[in-house]
Amino acid sequence: MIPDHIDLPGSPWPILPPGVHLATLAEVETRFTSNSKRRVQFTGFIAALANLRGAGCRRAFLDGSFVTAKPRPGDYDACWDPTSVDRAFLDPVLLTFENNRAAQKAKYHGELFPSTIPADRAGTIFLDFFQVDRFTGAPKGIVAINLSADPMLQPTVTS
């Protein structure tokens, strides 16, 4: 369940309270796709997650201004657990970080990183880095999605 946003003095928009909040993609859609720009970003996020799931990824984490109360976020930020991922099935764009992740933004409308790689010079991994507000340094929340069980990512059968 995604909790209500909280105000954090020094942060420009209300944010999620600290913690990793497990949610379904339907809950993310209901909560965060309030306009056409957010809808495009969400559609790109679903496409990226479908590829990750197909490569064996079991969990992803959603962050960035997309999960704040900012009306028109520029994109979303996400990271994914690489533990069981078979890179042979992974879209190479998801491992392309050049040019400020331009290829990812063009294809998926957001930025995605393996959760266990360093996000800064101090060596903070993305999973931890995403849980710190960049404006204040205070703890903040992110959304976790179980890719293995989410109904939006389940293969469909047609007859």
Side-chain angles (χ1 to χ4, degrees):
M1 181 176 156
I2 304 170
D4 290 336
H5 286 121
I6 60 170
D7 289 318
L8 178 64
S11 194
W13 306 280
I15 61 170
L16 293 175
V20 177
H21 309 289
L22 186 60
T24 65
L25 286 168
E27 291 170 321
V28 171
E29 179 179 33
T30 298
R31 178 70 182 278
F32 298 115
T33 59
S34 56
N35 59 46
S36 60
K37 182 168 180 124
R38 285 175 166 273
R39 168 67 51 198
V40 167
Q41 292 164 345
F42 181 73
T43 301
F45 184 55
I46 293 292
L49 295 184
N51 180 265
L52 285 162
R53 184 183 183 282
C57 184
R58 295 182 185 142
R59 186 168 280 209
F61 305 89
L62 181 59
D63 183 45
S65 57
F66 190 83
V67 298
T68 70
K70 183 177 182 179
R72 296 185 59 80
D75 65 3
Y76 61 85
D77 299 303
C79 64
W80 45 275
D81 183 353
T83 303
S84 58
V85 172
D86 183 339
R87 289 181 180 226
F89 295 101
L90 188 65
D91 181 349
V93 168
L94 293 171
L95 295 174
T96 303
F97 306 112
E98 293 82 23
N99 197 23
N100 291 319
R101 281 98 31 222
Q104 289 186 16
K105 291 175 189 177
K107 185 169 187 175
Y108 295 118
H109 304 283
E111 301 176 64
L112 301 102
F113 305 90
S115 62
T116 56
I117 65 170
D120 61 16
R121 292 179 189 218
T124 310
I125 63 170
F126 272 98
L127 184 59
D128 297 333
F129 182 79
F130 281 168
Q131 294 181 66
V132 177
D133 181 71
R134 71 182 174 125
F135 300 102
T136 66
K140 68 175 182 69
I142 60 175
V143 176
I145 298 118
N146 180 346
L147 306 187
S148 303
D150 198 285
M152 278 191 170
L153 298 176
Q154 298 304 312
T156 56
V157 177
T158 57
S159 46

